[in-house]
Amino acid sequence: MVTANAHLPIVHFSSLDKLLNLGRANSLWPLTFGLACCAIEMMATGVARFDLDRFGMGVFRPAPKQSDVMIVAGTISKKMAPGIRTLYEQMPHPKWVIALGNCAIAGGPFVFAGQYGIVEGADKIMPVDIYIPGCPPRPEALVEGLLLLEEKLTGSRRWPRVNPE
Amino acid sequence: MSGYFKEIYDGGKSLLVGMGITFRYMVQPVVTLQYPHETVPMTPRFRGHIDLACDQAGNHKCIVCGTCQRNCPSGCISLKGEKPEGAKKKLLIAYQLDFTKCSLCGTCVESCPTDALIFSKNYNLAGLSGQEFILDLLKRQEERSK
């Protein structure tokens, strides 16, 4: 497990930070990048049916320097891991990571004794804030994860909670 | 000079075509689902993580045969049974599902001889740690049957 936020900003402003976090929570720009089938669900969340723009999170940026949140959508192979780590380090602070799908949480169905190709979870190579299980998760689950990140930043939830069933 | 006016004409034309498409979509029915405010019901064959089914009396139907555990290709099911003094049948005392390794293949549900397993409709799970999704299905079943 990697420790979260190894180099946080040195200067803090108590009330201004809260205001900044409110702004950040409502404009989380994700990094455009998908690794496997969960990325298809991520694209489905971005377009008209579920419309991430309603939460200010639909601005998928093509450069790590412009993005706030990294959605690790899919299986991380050992070959891909250094690239993902580089992208993570290129993102400016403050930054957050969402592990989307079972592969990004713990390696998913690819974990077995003696496997050599898969990183068993995104939290092995970088700190992860939100975990969304599913194979793949539905778009609602990704929306729920982003709302949970919003809740983590601001300390309160301004959207209703959904209880399935 | 003729190229200049042609560019203005082409640009204006493509702008009108684009605005026409925008207008057509504007008067069509809205497709967006306002998710946290409104939801869609999951279809009968939707696959969430597995759950222990309840019968009419509110009990689960598991007989602790271990077929699901043996058949799971990812090894995410672990269950434990116990035979109480003088009883004929084994009793389920723990059923743990490691949902973080599951690929929802449904082999456990298919192979269960007593149809004790069902797919839940839990479609919007999200959490702050991966440990939250190692689920105790027996506890969930007891909570549901209350």
Side-chain angles (χ1 to χ4, degrees):
Chain A
M1 187 81 80
V2 186
T3 46
N5 293 323
H7 23 223
L8 276 171
I10 299 159
V11 183
H12 285 271
F13 309 94
S14 59
S15 296
L16 184 64
D17 263 1
K18 277 183 195 161
L19 189 68
L20 282 174
N21 277 339
L22 190 66
R24 284 164 186 158
N26 290 292
S27 67
L28 291 166
W29 290 6
L31 180 60
T32 316
F33 116 92
L35 295 167
C37 27
C38 283
I40 307 292
E41 291 298 302
M42 185 176 71
M43 290 176 226
T45 320
V47 292
R49 175 74 167 153
F50 290 97
D51 202 4
L52 275 182
D53 286 307
R54 292 180 294 138
F55 312 100
M57 297 157 187
V59 198
F60 280 87
R61 302 313 297 173
K65 281 175 188 172
Q66 302 166 348
S67 48
D68 307 300
V69 54
M70 180 184 220
I71 302 176
V72 184
T75 323
I76 306 167
S77 60
K78 287 243 169 88
K79 208 160 188 176
M80 197 67 199
I84 295 164
R85 180 72 208 178
T86 308
L87 282 176
Y88 174 74
E89 276 165 5
Q90 281 176 339
M91 281 163 63
H93 268 286
K95 55 190 170 185
W96 299 276
V97 178
I98 293 177
L100 182 68
N102 286 347
C103 293
I105 294 177
F110 300 104
V111 177
F112 58 90
Q115 69 89 6
Y116 52 84
I118 300 297
V119 177
E120 291 178 9
D123 52 10
K124 295 277 190 301
I125 54 170
M126 59 199 165
V128 176
D129 294 283
I130 305 291
Y131 296 79
I132 305 170
C135 195
R138 268 186 71 88
E140 284 104 329
L142 178 55
V143 171
E144 200 65 40
L146 285 162
L147 296 184
L148 189 65
L149 184 56
E150 187 181 319
E151 197 180 335
K152 189 182 173 179
L153 284 175
T154 58
S156 65
R157 184 178 166 113
R158 67 189 182 97
W159 300 88
R161 277 177 210 282
V162 176
N163 196 17
E165 289 161 71
Chain B
M1 200 63 193
S2 64
Y4 176 75
F5 287 108
K6 195 180 178 303
E7 253 176 48
I8 289 176
Y9 173 74
D10 286 347
K13 199 178 152 193
S14 80
L15 179 75
L16 287 177
V17 169
M19 289 307 282
I21 293 169
T22 308
F23 183 77
R24 228 174 34 240
Y25 275 93
M26 196 178 77
V27 293
Q28 272 175 13
V30 178
V31 293
T32 306
L33 178 78
Q34 300 289 334
Y35 163 63
H37 297 289
E38 56 181 18
T39 53
V40 279
M42 289 297 115
T43 52
R45 294 179 69 182
F46 173 74
R47 291 183 179 189
H49 64 79
I50 54 163
D51 243 342
L52 287 166
C54 285
D55 59 9
Q56 268 93 13
N59 300 317
H60 62 78
K61 293 183 266 184
C62 182
I63 52 166
V64 208
C65 62
T67 315
C68 47
Q69 189 179 11
R70 277 197 305 280
N71 280 337
C72 180
S74 313
C76 41
I77 297 170
S78 58
L79 73 166
K80 219 159 77 181
E82 212 177 50
K83 206 179 257 185
E85 247 355 89
K88 270 185 178 167
K89 284 178 183 168
K90 263 188 174 177
L91 218 76
L92 186 67
I93 54 166
Y95 198 113
Q96 198 186 53
L97 169 73
D98 184 357
F99 187 45
T100 62
K101 291 191 171 60
C102 177
S103 57
L104 298 169
C105 65
T107 315
C108 45
V109 177
E110 264 173 42
S111 67
C112 184
T114 56
D115 294 330
L117 291 173
I118 47 161
F119 288 113
S120 73
K121 299 268 180 286
N122 239 340
Y123 63 90
N124 59 354
L125 285 170
L128 296 169
S129 87
Q131 301 303 309
E132 282 176 42
F133 307 112
I134 298 174
L135 304 162
D136 186 352
L137 295 192
L138 193 60
K139 210 172 113 197
R140 278 178 60 90
Q141 195 268 337
E142 274 161 13
E143 268 166 24
R144 255 182 316 141
S145 64
K146 263 176 208 165

